[in-house]
Amino acid sequence: MQRTVAVVGGGISGLTACYHLARSPNAPKIILLEGSGRLGGWLHSTRTEDGAIFEHGPRGIRPAGTVGKNTLLMVSELGLDADVLPVPGDHPASKNRYLYVSRALHRLPSGIGGVLRTVPPFTRPLLWSGLRELAAPRGTQPDETIHSFVSRRFGKELADIAIDSLCRGVFAGDCRALSVRSCFPALFEAEQRRRSVILGMVLGGGKGPALDSALSRRACDERWSQWSLRGGMETLPEALQDFLRQRGVEMHCHARLRRLERTAAECWQITLEDGSVRADHVISAIPARALAVLLPGWAEPLAQELRSIEAVSVGVVNLQYNGATLPITGFGHLVPSFEDSSLLGIVYDSVAFPEQNGSCGPSVRLTVMLGGAWFKQGFGDPDTVPQAVLLSRAKEAVRAHLGIVAEPSRTIVKVLKACIPQYTLGHWQRTETMSRYLEQEGLPLSLIGASYQGVSVNDCIYSAKMAVTRLLDQAC
């Protein structure tokens, strides 16, 4: 009898899990349950009549590493090669990244010259931070905050300015609370393996699995820093949906879950608002805290760990200025928390992807990121904050930082509630405890998505694939 696998959550993780299940020989019956009215999760693009694209979630994907190659392989398998918009290594959006410190924009050092001389906002050459790191002893703690780790190895200035800003850009989080072991595992492992982060990164680790494709070879040859898709990032979940429809996967939106229970026949009984579904295995691709609410009382040890994984909200304000020009060109700029805690940074979308500007002539497209771990402090409750407050804050930042005083020709304001999980100190222990519990109880439940093993699109896609591989191996 054919097994049934229910995938809960129709974001990129859930769609990827369905994709790999559907492609497998002897594929099970697959049911995808999504509580909202659309699939794709945080990959969400607005396409205007004049051809402009505005991203409300991730706007570009890095091609590097095993996880990057894995995503490009899936993009190729879906037939999207011709839609890829790369940002090659010699492009201004690859070379130029800025910090906004002391009310001025500072280009981050790049190349040997930038490392050897003092470049504001730093007070001495970064070479000294590198020499300090090479001489620093190996850490002895099983985990450490990112700020503590970088301060200990590279010095406090680098941690306070560059790393604080980076963590706000990547995690919308506070580097003084986030775990280096879980957020930057390659840095933690490099220190453990080689005693030095620099030596560990230069000497590298073992080779990952072969995930070669013409796209990843091209990305390597052209040194892509990131890539997008011509019709916006939402093109990827749309292509996955098309593939799944062709394979007969049942996809249900507005399928709000009420609870998960185990039946006497060792199946999952999934209670919805308007019915129920039975499944032999459940793949949860919803946030950890959302899953905790659904679990039966006897699974409290698991629910307790899931509840401890918090997430932060981000205000995303898309702005287009027709006829305007930027004072600099680059990927964008980040703002350290001591400069302005509620403003995370501004991305210069029209520099990286001018193809998405639309047909209204020269324009500047920007995305202003607000809040994150500082959302409530800066704006109050994400459920009730007026859009006008976020829009005003974003326009004011563009005026102050970039000197664009005109009114934008187009604005879109979104509040992405609890969109980025925060891997705080000890996150690795929480995920290990959950894995151990599932194994000991023999529960046919897989946990995927940004709550566990990486918040990037690449991480979500890779963890979904690995979970399906383990599930199919068990079924053999």
Side-chain angles (χ1 to χ4, degrees):
M1 185 175 165
Q2 190 184 32
R3 295 174 78 222
T4 298
V5 176
V7 177
V8 178
I12 191 63
S13 300
L15 288 168
T16 301
C18 291
Y19 171 75
H20 288 292
L21 285 167
R23 292 178 80 233
S24 65
N26 308 315
K29 180 182 179 182
I30 307 160
I31 303 172
L32 176 63
L33 303 170
E34 164 58 38
S36 76
R38 60 175 284 278
L39 299 174
W42 302 120
L43 291 179
H44 190 188
S45 313
T46 290
R47 298 155 181 148
T48 66
E49 287 179 7
D50 67 341
I53 307 287
F54 297 91
E55 300 288 7
H56 311 306
R59 61 215 49 256
I61 297 180
R62 292 171 60 81
T66 298
V67 293
K69 288 179 179 177
N70 176 65
T71 300
L72 287 173
L73 178 61
M74 187 172 79
V75 165
S76 276
E77 290 166 351
L78 290 166
L80 294 175
D81 295 55
D83 294 299
V84 172
L85 296 177
V87 182
D90 58 358
H91 192 283
S94 292
K95 294 190 297 184
N96 302 335
R97 289 163 190 262
Y98 296 85
L99 296 177
Y100 185 77
V101 179
S102 302
R103 300 189 177 186
L105 287 168
H106 304 278
R107 183 170 172 261
L108 278 167
S110 64
I112 194 71
V115 174
L116 294 176
R117 66 175 187 272
T118 301
V119 178
F122 305 104
T123 58
R124 61 182 198 163
L126 293 184
L127 172 68
W128 294 111
S129 295
L131 293 173
R132 173 190 173 124
E133 199 283 325
L134 288 168
R138 182 187 280 116
T140 57
Q141 299 301 311
D143 199 1
E144 197 173 355
T145 68
I146 298 169
H147 187 274
S148 166
F149 179 89
V150 174
S151 296
R152 178 171 58 78
R153 298 210 62 86
F154 293 91
K156 189 171 181 297
E157 184 176 68
L158 201 68
D160 286 348
I161 300 174
I163 299 304
D164 176 280
S165 303
L166 175 67
C167 289
R168 283 157 59 81
V170 175
F171 304 101
D174 184 352
C175 65
R176 291 159 186 80
L178 296 172
S179 153
V180 72
R181 180 167 180 165
S182 297
C183 294
F184 295 114
L187 303 188
F188 180 82
E189 286 159 18
E191 183 191 42
Q192 294 300 307
R193 200 172 53 244
R194 305 283 188 185
R195 192 195 53 76
S196 158
V197 170
I198 293 173
L199 284 178
M201 301 306 281
V202 168
L203 298 172
K207 283 198 169 184
L211 294 164
D212 205 21
S213 66
L215 264 185
S216 64
R217 287 193 297 274
R218 189 181 151 208
C220 186
D221 291 344
E222 297 175 8
R223 297 183 299 111
W224 296 0
S225 61
Q226 59 170 327
W227 56 270
S228 182
L229 293 163
R230 199 166 297 281
M233 289 308 310
E234 197 168 352
T235 306
L236 182 53
E238 287 168 349
L240 285 164
Q241 289 171 63
D242 290 343
F243 176 88
L244 298 176
R245 275 191 208 96
Q246 292 163 18
R247 293 294 177 107
V249 173
E250 282 187 35
M251 293 183 280
H252 303 275
C253 287
H254 301 293
R256 292 186 182 85
L257 273 65
R258 283 285 167 250
R259 69 178 175 275
L260 289 169
E261 287 286 357
R262 298 283 280 147
T263 68
E266 295 296 292
C267 289
W268 286 106
Q269 180 83 10
I270 307 168
T271 305
L272 307 170
E273 278 186 347
D274 56 354
S276 64
V277 170
R278 281 199 170 202
D280 299 291
H281 193 100
V282 168
I283 298 177
S284 174
I286 58 178
R289 287 191 154 194
L291 176 60
V293 175
L294 303 174
L295 291 174
W298 53 261
E300 177 55 25
L302 176 59
Q304 185 180 337
E305 299 296 340
L306 291 165
R307 280 194 297 271
S308 69
I309 301 174
E310 297 183 18
V312 297
S313 301
V314 178
V316 177
V317 182
N318 304 103
L319 302 169
Q320 186 169 26
Y321 296 85
N322 287 341
T325 54
L326 287 166
I328 52 174
T329 60
F331 175 78
H333 68 263
L334 294 171
V335 183
S337 59
F338 64 78
E339 184 78 26
D340 185 340
S341 62
S342 61
L343 178 68
L344 304 175
I346 303 178
V347 184
Y348 315 157
D349 299 306
S350 53
V351 176
F353 304 113
E355 303 91 339
Q356 297 176 338
N357 280 354
S359 56
C360 283
S363 71
V364 167
R365 281 179 309 114
L366 304 169
T367 303
V368 183
M369 307 287 192
L370 301 165
W374 299 264
F375 198 102
K376 285 190 178 176
Q377 175 189 317
F379 304 105
D381 187 340
D383 286 320
T384 58
V385 62
Q387 288 198 353
V389 168
L390 298 175
L391 178 58
S392 171
R393 185 75 185 78
K395 291 196 295 185
E396 174 200 321
V398 170
R399 277 195 297 273
H401 296 198
L402 297 169
I404 299 178
V405 295
E407 276 296 301
S409 53
R410 187 179 274 119
T411 66
I412 308 172
V413 181
K414 303 273 187 188
V415 178
L416 310 188
K417 293 167 194 168
C419 63
I420 305 182
Q422 300 293 285
Y423 298 172
T424 52
L425 211 56
H427 180 80
W428 68 279
Q429 287 173 311
R430 292 189 277 278
T431 56
E432 282 192 4
T433 301
M434 288 188 276
S435 297
R436 211 163 38 242
Y437 178 85
L438 293 175
E439 197 175 327
Q440 286 168 356
E441 297 296 320
L443 275 185
L445 174 63
S446 302
L447 306 179
I448 63 172
S451 292
Y452 310 105
Q453 303 291 340
V455 301
S456 75
V457 174
N458 283 331
D459 291 326
C460 290
I461 289 171
Y462 191 72
S463 79
K465 180 181 181 178
M466 290 299 101
V468 169
T469 302
R470 286 191 295 273
L471 172 58
L472 296 172
D473 286 347
Q474 289 164 11
C476 290

